[in-house]
Amino acid sequence: SPSNNRNNNNNNSNGGSNNNNNNNGDTTGNIDEPSLDEKADLASKIFLLSGIELAHIITMLENRAPMTLEHVGIHSDNVEINIDALDFKLFTDVNTYVQERH
């Protein structure tokens, strides 16, 4: 992913090369996985959030799924969000928060 130095925001949507994207009869619980378009839409809208809104998302992720965040570079305020690592519930919660602001 290209580097993005905007306050705590560098979204990693790696093209959805997630092996759990198979919804054809899969019984492992991946049926509720967001589509690639939904992931890309969330990533682009996160980029548009204000600093305070972005801080809320980062705090939410730190509390519920710290493995979805990666501090990049020397400065700890540069954070990459791995959209593909969000479980469906957390993706839905983050997406709802973002959609309410745009």
Side-chain angles (χ1 to χ4, degrees), residues 7-8 49-60 62 97:
N7 297 332
N8 296 337
L49 294 175
S50 72
I52 291 171
E53 293 166 338
L54 187 55
H56 179 81
I57 295 292
I58 297 297
T59 300
M60 182 188 309
E62 284 175 338
Y97 177 84

Side-chain angles (χ1 to χ4, degrees), residues 2-95:
S3 183
N4 177 355
N5 294 325
R6 185 177 180 272
N7 297 332
N8 296 337
N9 190 18
N10 188 352
N11 297 306
N12 178 15
S13 182
N14 66 11
S17 61
N18 186 340
N19 292 332
N20 295 329
N21 245 354
N22 181 0
N23 292 341
N24 57 357
D26 185 7
T27 59
T28 61
N30 295 326
I31 293 170
D32 289 335
E33 187 167 324
S35 70
L36 293 178
D37 287 341
E38 291 170 319
K39 290 177 183 181
D41 184 56
L42 177 60
S44 66
K45 287 185 176 162
I46 285 175
F47 183 75
L48 300 174
L49 294 175
S50 72
I52 291 171
E53 293 166 338
L54 187 55
H56 179 81
I57 295 292
I58 297 297
T59 300
M60 182 188 309
L61 295 174
E62 284 175 338
N63 290 333
R64 294 175 55 187
M67 70 286 201
T68 63
L69 300 174
E70 181 181 341
H71 296 274
V72 291
I74 297 170
H75 305 289
S76 63
D77 63 342
N78 290 324
V79 177
E80 182 174 300
I81 300 170
N82 185 347
I83 299 291
D84 291 328
L86 299 175
D87 64 38
F88 184 72
K89 172 71 172 128
L90 186 53
F91 178 91
T92 301
D93 292 347
V94 170
N95 195 40

